[in-house]
Amino acid sequence: MEHIHILMVDDHPIIIEGYQNTLMATKKENQTLVIDTANTCDAANLLMQRAANERPYDVCFFDISLPPSSDGKITSGEDLAKISRTILPNAKVIILTMFNESYRIHSIVKEINPDGFLIKSDLTSSELAEAFHHILVDPPYYSSTVSNFLNKSVVNEIYVDEINRKILHLLSQGIKTRSLTEYIDLSMSAIEKRKKQLKILFSINDGKDESLIMEARKKGFL
Amino acid sequence: MRNLFFYLCFICFAYGLNAQTKILDSILSLRERSANTELSFEERFEFAKIASELSKTTKVDSTILNSNKNLAYFYMSADFKIYRQMNLENLELAKKINDSSSIASINFNLGFYHHYEQQNDSAYYYYTNAVKIYDKLGEDRELTTALINIATIQQVENDFVGSEENAIKAIEILQKLPRTELNLGDLYLLYNLLGLNAYDLKNFQKSIEYHDKALDLAKEMKYGRINELYSSGNLALVYREMGDLGRAIQLWEEVLSNDILMEEDPSFYALSLENITLTRFLNGDVDYDGIESAFESAYQLSDSLDDPYTKASTTISMTRYYKGVDDIPNALKYAEETYTISKEIDANDLLLESLLLLSKLKTGDEGKMYLNEHIRLSDSLLDVERNVRNKRARIQLETDELERKNERIEQQRLVLIIIAVGLLLLLLFIYIIITQRARNKELKFKQDQQKANEEIYNLMLSQQDKVDEARANEKKRISEELHDGVLGRLFGTRLSLDSLNFSEGQDAIKNRASYIEELKTIENDIRKISHDLNTDFVSGSGFMDIVSELIDKQTVAYQLSSKFDFTDDINWESIPNKTKINIYRIIQESLQNIYKHANAKAVKISIQLKNNVICLAIEDDGDGFDVNKSKKGIGIKNINSRVNEVEGTAQFNSEPNKGTEVLISIPYKN
């Protein structure tokens, strides 16, 4: 009998329910799934700390967007994943996110190098099941969207660092330049400077943010 | 009809104009004909008369004057009295139209008239006037003629110094003119006059010089032969007076030997003859028969010429001769004849001499009587002379004074004009400054207004920005809600339903039903979000927010309690900024007025929409005022002008101590 300890973190209970339903329905005969769930960063952190001392998790499912922890130190699934990498080195980390925007994928892959990376919007239960089993045996498993994107940006000659990607992302969300300081820890002038560099990089001549976003999207940075 | 009238008028006018030019033409031609020397004097005189009559019909002063001047010329020969009269009339006319050239010539004419009539004072007066004007006009030729005449009068009146002065003045002018026969003649006359003056002043050397000069001029003249003789005769007189009898006799002999003399001037011949004869006697000639016969022939000649002056000169010379040879009866006879003639012709010098001789010839009381008469006459002559001189001095003084007065008046006028112009300029300057200041004020007011409007506009813009930002935030909130809430749950439900495909049976059906129920809940949530999206929670509230803020701020500052009601039915975004700015300003100004004048505790402001009219009401519980009595203050005027700008109406309801209500209606064009 194979006991697999699993941690599922998502702020929507119904999603966790979905994961559970899927995994329970598709598990192998010899597998016993022990699943802990958490809806908040605090709960997840607590579970991980405890598990590290007693029985570490084999697999951790992290959602990216989560309400921050009460002490404000853990703000997302990304942070939780980092923690699990240090205190549960053998745990397989699977990131499930609604975010299919490129800059997130890039940073997540770079920061955490997860064993699994799935995008909720194109995820079916069979794919989840397949991914789960694949990761247990032969990680990593990246969903087709993620791997496609990674391939594309590797080919791309233009190098755009994380902050610039974030700027592009926020702009594409319709955030105004003067509000960017609320999201990025940079001064207004620094942000303006970066925007100017970006426009040169993407050879935008008319100076419009709109053109910049369009070009970045065409080149696969968004 | 009106056009016809106008046309008629035009015709009349044109005709009148035409007639006028015709008359002028005929006047001109008449004048020309009257100047035609080929015609007889009577004919020419007649033409001049007709021209004058015609001119009077034109009523044009200059035409009348010219025609009358022309006519006056003829009267100079025809009727001397009328000549004077006409000249006097012409003078008035010329003064009226200020024709100074004519004034001068008419003055000269009048001077000539009086000169001829031997009214020397009047002649002197007119000549002096003429001289002044000619001098001013620079008409040298006429000026010298007038000066010569004046000098002549002065010489006759024994004002030798004055005569000399005028003569020299005339000579100076004449020297500059071309040496024509006429000018030379005048120059000759003047030098002759100077010679006579010097003679009378007993300045014989000078007299000789002048007469020599006159002689030279006479020689220069083309027709100066007779003038030469006159000068020689005059020179001879001077020499005789100087005692150079031989030289005098020689000169007279030369004169008398001239053939033309007897033809040209027999009087002068007689005069020269008696003079040479007397001089010969004085020079010690003892050919008494010859002398007596010469005297006799001179006497006969002068008698036959009917020239009393020459005759008297001859008789006085004869008296002197007979007295010299002690032929008392003859001496007495000629002395008495001289006395009679000279008395007749007013030849005072001869009269005096004859009286003196008579007093010496007669003895006793008769002699005394003549002596007395002599003394009396010479005294009276002296008096006359003095009077004349005084009079002339007075005339000169008066004209000088008149001139000075004119000058003063002119100066005063100049000063007056300068002052007037200065005042006018000052007024203009003041006017310009005032208008400029008013314009500046207006401009400043407009600028202030613009600035205030701009502020409100900016306020509205910033409000718009706020609204935009709120909208953006709301959009973001909804997006997040969709993303995090709905999408997550949808994904979870999908995943669960998907996984239920692996199992079958009653349990699975039950589970599915619960997930389908979940889907329903999500549906509801989505509907809610959609509803949120549909209701623009910030729409239109912008302007009212600004107004609320204004009222809050102002009433706090003025320590008023306020109530602000407004309707949401007005779509402020569709209302032009002008209207909004004016509403804002009206409220602002009204609050200011309430604070300044009303002593109010509370204000109530409401904005409602009634029958497509925006109704703004501002009420206070202050002092109020009498709407009918009160002079409209600037506040009310401003409100009125603002309301007019947006085509609205304003109504002020107020009574003393019952507060004020301002009702403003602005059409709402949606």
Side-chain angles (χ1 to χ4, degrees):
Chain A
M1 250 339 212
E2 190 186 359
H3 281 262
I4 304 170
H5 272 234
I6 302 170
L7 174 66
M8 290 182 176
V9 185
D10 200 303
D11 52 340
H12 289 106
I14 194 161
I15 292 179
I16 293 176
E17 213 178 304
Y19 294 159
Q20 279 177 319
N21 286 340
T22 304
L23 292 191
M24 293 308 272
T26 56
K27 71 172 175 83
K28 287 178 180 160
E29 292 293 315
N30 62 340
Q31 287 177 329
T32 307
L33 301 182
V34 182
I35 300 175
D36 288 337
T37 65
N39 295 120
T40 63
C41 290
D42 285 329
N45 191 29
L46 202 68
L47 285 172
M48 282 199 287
Q49 299 295 341
R50 201 191 296 155
N53 296 331
E54 295 169 11
R55 171 96 176 77
Y57 293 119
D58 299 306
V59 182
C60 294
F61 288 81
F62 291 122
D63 182 23
I64 289 295
S65 72
L66 287 170
S69 65
S70 52
D71 62 0
K73 280 181 182 158
I74 306 162
T75 58
S76 68
E78 226 174 314
D79 294 337
L80 288 174
K82 278 180 203 159
I83 292 166
S84 81
R85 279 280 188 246
T86 45
I87 62 171
L88 305 164
N90 295 321
K92 308 268 190 302
V93 171
I94 301 176
I95 302 288
L96 293 123
T97 179
M98 209 63 105
F99 294 126
N100 59 353
E101 289 84 359
S102 58
Y103 102 94
R104 274 287 190 171
I105 293 171
H106 228 269
S107 74
I108 288 164
V109 169
K110 205 175 160 199
E111 293 291 319
I112 301 159
N113 195 20
D115 301 289
F117 200 150
L118 300 167
I119 303 295
K120 288 179 186 173
S121 32
D122 52 37
L123 186 67
T124 58
S125 53
S126 44
E127 195 188 2
L128 177 62
E130 194 196 327
F132 179 66
H133 292 297
H134 191 105
I135 289 161
L136 283 178
V137 182
D138 179 24
Y141 181 94
Y142 285 8
S143 86
S144 58
T145 316
V146 175
S147 42
N148 273 347
F149 177 78
L150 286 175
N151 290 339
K152 213 199 250 170
S153 28
V154 166
V155 170
N156 221 313
E157 291 167 15
I158 298 172
Y159 174 73
V160 180
D161 71 9
E162 280 319 304
I163 293 165
N164 284 355
R165 278 174 192 276
K166 197 167 177 186
I167 289 173
L168 284 174
H169 170 69
L170 289 169
L171 284 175
S172 75
Q173 298 248 296
I175 309 288
K176 291 189 172 161
T177 307
R178 66 184 149 99
S179 311
L180 284 178
T181 44
E182 295 167 22
Y183 303 91
I184 299 165
D185 199 15
L186 278 175
S187 74
M188 194 66 219
S189 62
I191 289 173
E192 290 282 6
K193 219 170 181 179
R194 280 171 174 274
K195 262 180 75 184
K196 208 175 268 174
Q197 282 172 348
L198 278 172
K199 279 173 189 167
I200 293 168
L201 202 61
F202 284 99
S203 16
I204 305 302
N205 295 323
D206 60 4
K208 281 185 187 165
D209 290 356
E210 204 186 326
S211 314
L212 177 63
I213 303 301
M214 265 169 63
E215 196 59 33
R217 193 164 278 150
K218 212 194 274 173
K219 294 257 165 73
F221 288 89
L222 283 172
Chain B
M1 192 60 204
R2 211 172 136 183
N3 275 344
L4 188 68
F5 176 72
F6 174 77
Y7 187 63
L8 277 173
C9 278
F10 179 74
I11 287 180
C12 288
F13 177 69
Y15 179 77
L17 203 72
N18 209 15
Q20 191 84 354
T21 31
K22 261 187 190 163
I23 290 173
L24 276 180
D25 282 346
S26 49
I27 290 168
L28 279 178
S29 94
L30 279 168
R31 268 196 234 145
E32 247 167 57
R33 275 200 259 176
S34 76
N36 187 351
T37 46
E38 285 171 19
L39 299 171
S40 76
F41 180 80
E42 280 74 19
E43 281 172 307
R44 291 170 58 197
F45 191 15
E46 204 54 42
F47 283 133
K49 271 185 189 165
I50 300 167
S52 168
E53 285 304 317
L54 257 178
S55 303
K56 275 173 194 160
T57 65
T58 64
K59 304 224 189 306
V60 179
D61 286 335
S62 59
T63 313
I64 298 172
L65 178 61
N66 281 329
S67 295
N68 282 0
K69 269 163 75 185
N70 184 41
L71 182 60
Y73 167 76
F74 290 99
Y75 275 112
M76 187 168 73
S77 320
D79 190 325
F80 217 43
K81 287 268 174 267
I82 298 177
Y83 176 68
R84 173 171 175 265
Q85 196 52 44
M86 284 212 70
N87 273 306
L88 283 173
E89 282 167 20
N90 288 348
L91 187 59
E92 289 306 310
L93 210 56
K95 276 179 181 167
K96 190 173 154 197
I97 61 171
N98 217 354
D99 178 354
S100 46
S101 178
S102 290
I103 294 172
S105 70
I106 295 164
N107 263 309
F108 182 86
N109 287 349
L110 285 165
F112 175 75
Y113 167 83
H114 289 290
H115 193 181
Y116 193 84
E117 294 288 315
Q118 296 194 329
Q119 292 152 342
N120 286 341
D121 288 345
S122 303
Y124 178 82
Y125 169 74
Y126 286 117
Y127 281 146
T128 313
N129 284 345
V131 161
K132 285 209 171 123
I133 301 167
Y134 282 141
D135 198 11
K136 214 174 269 174
L137 293 175
E139 290 179 12
D140 288 340
R141 190 50 251 169
E142 290 79 357
L143 176 61
T144 50
T145 314
L147 277 172
I148 290 166
N149 289 356
I150 290 174
T152 313
I153 289 171
Q154 283 172 321
Q155 205 262 337
V156 170
E157 296 286 341
N158 292 352
D159 178 7
F160 304 118
V161 180
S163 173
E164 191 176 319
E165 200 179 297
N166 279 322
I168 286 171
K169 205 171 9 174
I171 287 170
E172 274 170 6
I173 296 164
L174 272 174
Q175 299 283 25
K176 288 181 213 147
L177 297 176
R179 295 177 87 79
T180 61
E181 184 75 6
L182 194 63
N183 290 343
L184 286 173
D186 280 351
L187 271 175
Y188 169 80
L189 271 179
L190 287 162
Y191 276 113
N192 193 43
L193 196 64
L194 282 172
L196 294 178
N197 274 336
Y199 175 78
D200 282 331
L201 289 169
K202 310 269 185 247
N203 195 346
F204 300 123
Q205 207 52 51
K206 200 85 189 166
S207 179
I208 289 169
E209 262 175 46
Y210 283 135
H211 281 307
D212 278 341
K213 186 87 189 166
L215 203 58
D216 288 345
L217 282 163
K219 279 174 185 158
E220 199 179 323
M221 283 166 71
K222 205 169 177 185
Y223 304 106
R225 190 82 194 94
I226 190 79
N227 292 352
E228 274 179 57
L229 299 181
Y230 292 151
S231 287
S232 296
N234 287 337
L235 268 173
L237 271 177
V238 179
Y239 281 121
R240 186 175 76 181
E241 209 61 29
M242 283 171 77
D244 192 349
L245 300 178
R247 185 75 190 271
I249 292 166
Q250 189 194 335
L251 277 167
W252 268 313
E253 270 172 352
E254 274 172 35
V255 171
L256 287 170
S257 68
N258 240 298
D259 301 335
I260 60 157
L261 186 58
M262 207 39 203
E263 292 164 31
E264 293 264 336
D265 194 345
S267 279
F268 187 63
Y269 181 87
L271 211 57
S272 300
L273 186 59
E274 65 91 357
N275 269 323
I276 194 175
T277 312
L278 181 65
T279 314
R280 272 192 185 134
F281 167 70
L282 292 175
N283 202 23
D285 195 335
V286 289
D287 178 11
Y288 298 131
D289 290 341
I291 289 170
E292 274 172 36
S293 74
F295 270 138
E296 201 54 41
S297 64
Y299 179 80
Q300 293 296 338
L301 189 57
S302 63
D303 196 39
S304 71
L305 288 170
D306 198 12
D307 180 353
Y309 186 83
T310 312
K311 201 171 165 185
S313 296
T314 313
T315 49
I316 196 94
S317 293
M318 285 165 88
T319 313
R320 282 169 79 182
Y321 163 73
Y322 284 119
K323 186 175 168 273
V325 294
D326 275 338
D327 184 350
I328 303 301
N330 262 329
L332 261 175
K333 174 186 157 203
Y334 287 114
E336 273 163 359
E337 195 174 351
T338 311
Y339 175 72
T340 323
I341 297 168
S342 57
K343 206 158 191 184
E344 255 170 45
I345 61 165
D346 269 344
N348 288 326
D349 47 346
L350 290 173
L351 187 59
L352 279 174
E353 204 172 345
S354 68
L355 280 170
L356 197 64
L357 282 168
L358 276 170
S359 71
K360 279 177 187 163
L361 290 168
K362 296 264 183 171
T363 49
D365 286 346
E366 224 178 331
K368 256 184 202 160
M369 199 183 71
Y370 281 120
L371 191 63
N372 281 340
E373 198 180 340
H374 175 264
I375 292 163
R376 218 173 33 246
L377 181 65
S378 69
D379 279 358
S380 77
L381 276 176
L382 263 176
D383 274 352
V384 167
E385 207 172 290
R386 203 172 298 134
N387 279 342
V388 164
R389 226 170 284 166
N390 284 349
K391 209 178 201 172
R392 205 152 302 137
R394 215 164 37 241
I395 290 171
Q396 188 67 41
L397 195 73
E398 271 167 14
T399 45
D400 282 359
E401 240 169 42
L402 207 71
E403 223 164 65
R404 232 172 291 141
K405 210 165 139 193
N406 283 342
E407 224 166 76
R408 215 170 33 240
I409 288 170
E410 209 138 291
Q411 239 167 21
Q412 278 173 351
R413 199 178 295 161
L414 194 74
V415 169
L416 217 71
I417 286 171
I418 289 171
I419 290 173
V421 168
L423 268 172
L424 218 71
L425 279 176
L426 198 73
L427 274 174
L428 196 77
F429 195 59
I430 289 170
Y431 173 77
I432 287 171
I433 285 177
I434 288 173
T435 47
Q436 203 62 34
R437 197 173 288 172
R439 206 175 297 161
N440 277 353
K441 226 168 149 187
E442 206 176 309
L443 215 72
K444 185 117 200 296
F445 178 72
K446 266 191 189 160
Q447 256 174 8
D448 287 350
Q449 205 85 325
Q450 194 111 18
K451 220 166 141 192
N453 287 352
E454 223 165 83
E455 268 168 33
I456 300 166
Y457 190 70
N458 284 337
L459 207 64
M460 289 198 322
L461 273 184
S462 70
Q463 186 69 19
Q464 191 60 43
D465 272 1
K466 272 190 212 160
V467 168
D468 283 352
E469 209 167 308
R471 257 195 208 132
N473 285 339
E474 179 68 2
K475 227 164 92 182
K476 200 155 173 270
R477 186 186 68 79
I478 290 169
S479 147
E480 264 165 24
E481 206 172 306
L482 273 176
H483 196 274
D484 295 354
V486 178
L487 222 54
R489 276 154 65 201
L490 210 54
F491 166 65
T493 313
R494 173 166 65 83
L495 208 61
S496 295
L497 281 173
D498 206 3
S499 69
L500 282 175
N501 283 341
F502 298 109
S503 51
E504 266 171 43
Q506 212 55 29
D507 264 8
I509 290 170
K510 226 172 114 190
N511 270 337
R512 266 191 209 111
S514 81
Y515 286 119
I516 287 165
E517 196 58 35
E518 176 66 21
L519 278 177
K520 251 187 192 168
T521 324
I522 294 167
E523 238 171 73
N524 263 333
D525 282 357
I526 291 173
R527 191 174 301 124
K528 236 196 281 171
I529 291 167
S530 153
H531 184 257
D532 278 359
L533 271 175
N534 204 23
T535 48
D536 193 351
F537 72 108
V538 283
S539 151
S541 61
F543 181 60
M544 283 299 105
D545 288 347
I546 299 174
V547 173
S548 296
E549 204 179 317
L550 165 78
I551 294 168
D552 286 348
K553 259 194 206 163
Q554 215 127 329
T555 50
V556 165
Y558 298 158
Q559 294 175 328
L560 293 164
S561 72
S562 70
K563 192 170 172 236
F564 180 41
D565 288 330
F566 62 90
T567 174
D568 290 327
D569 295 345
I570 301 168
N571 179 13
W572 290 105
E573 270 167 42
S574 71
I575 287 174
N577 279 334
K578 199 170 99 178
T579 310
K580 282 192 275 194
I581 287 169
N582 278 314
I583 289 173
Y584 185 93
R585 295 282 286 170
I586 288 168
I587 294 172
Q588 195 177 32
E589 252 159 50
S590 297
L591 286 173
Q592 256 169 29
N593 286 342
I594 290 165
Y595 169 65
K596 274 190 202 157
H597 309 296
N599 279 326
K601 288 197 179 67
V603 286
K604 219 161 88 183
I605 298 170
S606 85
I607 296 177
Q608 301 299 336
L609 187 67
K610 289 175 195 163
N611 296 330
N612 253 355
V613 173
I614 301 170
C615 299
L616 166 65
I618 302 162
E619 257 180 273
D620 70 69
D621 60 350
D623 293 345
F625 61 95
D626 191 334
V627 181
N628 299 320
K629 261 190 197 170
S630 162
K631 210 171 71 177
K632 274 184 185 164
I634 193 134
I636 289 178
K637 268 189 207 160
N638 272 350
I639 288 174
N640 272 328
S641 84
R642 287 192 178 283
V643 171
N644 285 339
E645 231 175 276
V646 292
E647 295 166 4
T649 56
Q651 196 188 332
F652 299 90
N653 298 327
S654 181
E655 260 177 67
N657 298 322
K658 285 191 178 171
T660 308
E661 188 184 21
V662 184
L663 297 173
I664 285 153
S665 313
I666 298 163
Y668 176 55
K669 291 163 200 159
N670 200 358

